[in-house]
Amino acid sequence: MIAGAAGVAAAALICLDPGHGTPPATGQQVEPIGPGSKVMKIKDGGGAAGEAAVALAIAKRTRALLLARGYRVAMTRTGPRTQLGNGNGNIARARFCNRRHAALMVRIHADGSTNRSQHGVSTLVPAWHRGWTDDIYRPSLAAGRAIQTAVVSATGAADRGVVKRSDLTGFNWANVPAVLVETGYLSNPTEARRLKTAAYQQRIAAGLVGGVSAFAALPTKRNR
Ligand SMILES: [Zn+2]
């Protein structure tokens, strides 16, 4: 962190959003995928088996590392269930981070596939959409690239790249840069075993923090 001309800058706030954990009855409700949209999407299908717990464990480790580096951290949930109000869905997750003027929203998930051999890490970023993501498109992409590189390097996992997504409610309602990291495949037996260990979760967390730091160090003109 570098002090600005006006004095010591406030430490950047990173908003961590561990995926899933929505109370089941709420998760089945729908909400518009973007402001003013008629396209409705389920709030939370629950994710892959075991995903909510893995995402939370990684988020807590990431929080500890970020705090140690001097960042401020907010989390959309710190226990098994979200309690956000505001409909308690993905709009609420985005608004939680918007309200806090987060420097970055980091959504933490794990993947699932019917193809059990599929494995590796990918980072999702908002596709460009006028009025929804035009303001956060560039910094989100920059953050996504930095985080994908850092997590792949920290874990040695297969690099599945950065993927632009237009259909994620939590992106389309975000007014702060946002990324979603798919930290590995719980449907792949080898990767699932790793994802459930403290050591591998810690490596992912270290990668996330490395990516956040690299993003925070980018010149403002390039990332905003
Ligand atoms: Zn998920």
Side-chain angles (χ1 to χ4, degrees), residues 102-125:
L104 184 63
M105 176 185 191
V106 181
R107 314 180 65 195
I108 300 170
H109 284 246
D111 240 327
S113 171
T114 50
N115 176 359
R116 281 160 55 93
S117 70
Q118 200 149 296
H119 65 281
V121 173
S122 62
T123 300
L124 315 185
V125 298

Side-chain angles (χ1 to χ4, degrees), residues 19-20 46-48 51 108-111 180 182:
H20 309 290
E51 181 183 348
I108 300 170
H109 284 246
D111 240 327
L180 188 156
E182 295 282 9

Side-chain angles (χ1 to χ4, degrees), residues 82-100:
T82 52
Q83 300 174 318
L84 293 166
N86 265 327
N88 207 20
N90 285 302
I91 297 175
R93 290 177 194 255
R95 285 182 167 157
F96 175 91
C97 301
N98 292 345
R99 262 202 316 277
R100 287 162 177 78

